[in-house]
Amino acid sequence: MITSTRAKRNQNMDVEKVFRMTGGTGDNSYAKNSSYQKKVSDMVKHITMDALQQVYLALAPKSLGIADLGCSSGSNSLSIIKDIVESVEAASCKIMIPAPEFRVYLNDLPTNDFNSIFKSLPDFYRDLNKERSGGLPLLFIAGYPGSFYGRLFPNDCLHFVHSSYSLHWLSKVPPSLYDKQGKPINRGSVHISASSPPLVSQAYYAQFQEDLSLFLRSRSEELTAGGRMVLIMLGRIGPDHVDRGNSFYWELLSRSLAILATQGEIKREDIDSYDVHFYAPTKDEMEAEIRREGSFEVERLEMFETEKELYKVSENYGTEVAMTVRAIQESMLSHHFGEGILDTLFEIYGRMVEEEMLKEEINPITFVLVLRKL
C-alpha cells in the first residue's frame, strides 16, 4: 500500500506546489549553495549586457520592463539586476539621454522564498547607491509568483527577459513515464539512464517540446517587438542522452538511492516511482523548437563545459556538489521519500561524486541563448 501510494504521489505530483529551491539562509539553503550558478552567470555577463544594451539603444524606452524568470532566493537575482541597472545607465550617459525608470519583475513558483529577497532589498538599494551623486535610479521591484510555462505579464510590457538555470526544469514529470495501469516504466532510475527503455527519453523530449513551445508563445505576447531574452540553461552535446555531463549527476543520485534501499532505509519500488522533471536539450533540439514556434530568432547561441573550478572549491568537491544538488532537489525528495533520508543520502552522494571525479572529470554542458522577438 505504501509503494502504490508513493507511485501515485509522484505520478500526480503538482510541481508548481512542491518544487522549490531550499529557502532561508541555513547551511542547506539555495542562498548558501548557489555559488556555481553565480559564477556561470558572471562568466556570460558580457553576453547578457550586450543583448540588454542592444534593446535599450534600439528602443530607448522611458520605462524599461525587465523580468527575471526563475529568480529563486538568495543574492544571485539581485546581483544581475544591479548589473542591468548600471549597464543601462552607462548606455544612457553615452547617448546623453536620461536613464529610464526600471520595472523589475522577479518570478518563480509560488512556493519560492520571496521573503528572503524582499528582506535583502534595503541592503541592495544601499549598495546600488554607493559612489552615486545623483541618487538612486527609479527602480520598482515586484514579485510575480507563478509558472513561466504560461502567461505571467500583460501584453507588450517587457523589453528584456533573463532566465538563469531554470528552463531545463520541465512543467511536470512526463505523464508517459507511467503505463496505462499507472505503473512506472523507468524502474531503478530517476532520469534517463543506460538501462531506461527508449520510451523514457521519448517521453522527456516530448514534454520538453510542449513546455518550450508554451514558454516561447507566452513570452512573445509579453515582450515588445525587438525585445530580447537571455536564457542560460543546462544541455548536452549530442543525441546520446547518457553522458559524463548533466545526466551523470542523476545517475549518481539513482545509485545513492539504491544504496539506501539495500540498507532498508527506503523501498526499491519507491525509487522506481521517483522521476526528476528535468531535460537537458541539444543545440539542435532547441533551435528546431524555436524555429517551429516562430516568434523569436536566435541571435546568439554559445555552448561551454563548466568545470570543477567553478565551485568554491573547498577540500571536498563532492560535498559541494552534493550540497548544491540538495538545495535544488530537497523539496521533491522529501515529498516523495520523507525528510529523514536526506542527510544520509547526500553524504553517500558526495562520496560518490568525489570517487568518480578521481576516475574522470564530470563536465556539465551549459548553453547561453540570446533570442530576439520578431
Side-chain angles (χ1 to χ4, degrees):
M1 179 61 70
I2 293 175
T3 300
S4 62
T5 300
R6 283 193 172 157
K8 188 174 181 181
R9 181 190 302 171
N10 196 55
Q11 184 183 2
N12 299 325
M13 186 184 296
D14 188 341
V15 167
E16 192 169 341
K17 292 181 179 177
V18 178
F19 183 54
R20 65 184 180 278
M21 306 296 108
T22 302
T25 56
D27 289 342
N28 296 326
S29 68
Y30 186 81
K32 287 281 181 71
N33 296 285
S34 54
S35 61
Y36 172 89
Q37 291 89 332
K38 174 67 166 66
K39 288 178 181 177
V40 173
S41 180
D42 287 345
M43 279 176 57
V44 302
K45 187 167 73 173
H46 64 289
I47 297 175
T48 303
M49 296 307 129
D50 181 60
L52 171 72
Q53 291 202 0
Q54 285 187 49
V55 175
Y56 178 64
L57 294 174
L59 303 178
K62 292 183 178 179
S63 180
L64 185 64
I66 300 157
D68 186 17
L69 306 183
C71 64
S72 191
S73 55
S75 62
N76 289 1
S77 182
L78 291 180
S79 177
I80 196 69
I81 297 306
K82 182 174 182 287
D83 292 335
I84 284 172
V85 169
E86 291 175 347
S87 178
V88 169
E89 288 187 323
S92 297
C93 279
K94 270 188 182 178
I95 58 176
M96 295 186 293
I97 64 171
E101 67 177 20
F102 297 85
R103 293 174 285 111
V104 177
Y105 308 109
L106 303 180
N107 158 260
D108 214 308
L109 294 175
T111 51
N112 183 57
D113 183 11
F114 284 99
N115 281 343
S116 69
I117 299 179
F118 297 147
K119 287 177 182 176
S120 65
L121 284 179
D123 288 339
F124 169 74
Y125 285 122
R126 187 162 50 248
D127 289 344
L128 198 60
N129 200 30
K130 284 179 181 175
E131 300 179 7
R132 284 174 179 268
S133 57
L136 282 169
L138 285 173
L139 176 58
F140 306 95
I141 297 178
Y144 259 67
S147 171
F148 51 54
Y149 293 119
R151 287 293 301 272
L152 288 165
F153 311 104
N155 284 349
D156 298 323
C157 78
L158 299 177
H159 300 93
F160 187 73
V161 169
H162 178 263
S163 182
S164 180
Y165 283 108
S166 298
L167 207 55
H168 42 248
W169 296 110
L170 301 173
S171 65
K172 59 187 173 183
V173 172
S176 47
L177 291 180
Y178 296 82
D179 64 20
K180 291 180 180 178
Q181 288 74 45
K183 295 179 181 178
I185 66 171
N186 194 28
R187 295 182 177 86
S189 298
V190 304
H191 195 248
I192 306 166
S193 70
S195 62
S196 298
L199 283 175
V200 171
S201 57
Q202 292 168 21
Y204 273 104
Y205 181 46
Q207 189 62 53
F208 163 77
Q209 289 178 299
E210 178 185 318
D211 284 347
L212 184 58
S213 178
L214 180 54
F215 176 88
L216 294 170
R217 193 161 65 249
S218 301
R219 302 296 82 76
S220 73
E221 298 291 330
E222 298 161 354
L223 272 161
T224 188
R228 302 296 200 282
M229 291 200 293
V230 174
L231 310 175
I232 304 168
M233 61 187 294
L234 295 172
R236 67 187 202 279
I237 294 177
D240 192 353
H241 289 273
V242 181
D243 57 22
R244 192 85 177 174
N246 296 301
S247 70
F248 194 69
Y249 285 120
W250 298 122
E251 171 65 25
L252 294 181
L253 184 60
S254 297
R255 293 182 196 175
S256 301
L257 288 165
I259 290 174
L260 288 187
T262 62
Q263 295 173 350
E265 297 292 327
I266 57 175
K267 295 181 181 295
R268 289 192 180 276
E269 292 88 347
D270 295 339
I271 303 173
D272 295 341
S273 60
Y274 185 77
D275 303 280
V276 294
H277 61 294
F278 171 93
Y279 188 77
T282 64
K283 174 179 178 288
D284 289 345
E285 287 173 346
M286 285 188 291
E287 288 183 323
E289 199 57 39
I290 293 164
R291 280 195 305 271
R292 192 188 68 78
E293 195 280 328
S295 299
F296 294 88
E297 72 168 347
V298 179
E299 284 197 330
R300 189 167 184 173
L301 197 166
E302 296 196 14
M303 178 189 76
F304 57 93
E305 287 187 343
T306 52
E307 300 176 347
K308 178 177 179 178
E309 287 68 26
L310 285 178
Y311 282 86
K312 284 181 256 191
V313 166
S314 67
E315 292 181 3
N316 195 323
Y317 169 75
T319 298
E320 287 192 29
V321 173
M323 293 294 282
T324 299
V325 175
R326 177 171 181 165
I328 294 167
Q329 274 287 289
E330 188 170 74
S331 64
M332 304 294 278
L333 288 164
S334 60
H335 179 83
H336 188 80
F337 296 101
E339 293 181 7
I341 70 160
L342 293 176
D343 289 345
T344 304
L345 173 65
F346 284 103
E347 284 175 15
I348 294 169
Y349 186 86
R351 287 199 301 271
M352 280 195 169
V353 171
E354 196 68 28
E355 289 166 5
E356 287 295 332
M357 286 296 289
L358 292 174
K359 299 176 189 174
E360 185 184 349
E361 289 283 320
I362 308 169
N363 292 328
I365 299 299
T366 292
F367 288 108
V368 184
L369 294 91
V370 178
L371 306 184
R372 185 177 73 86
K373 164 75 185 298
L374 297 173

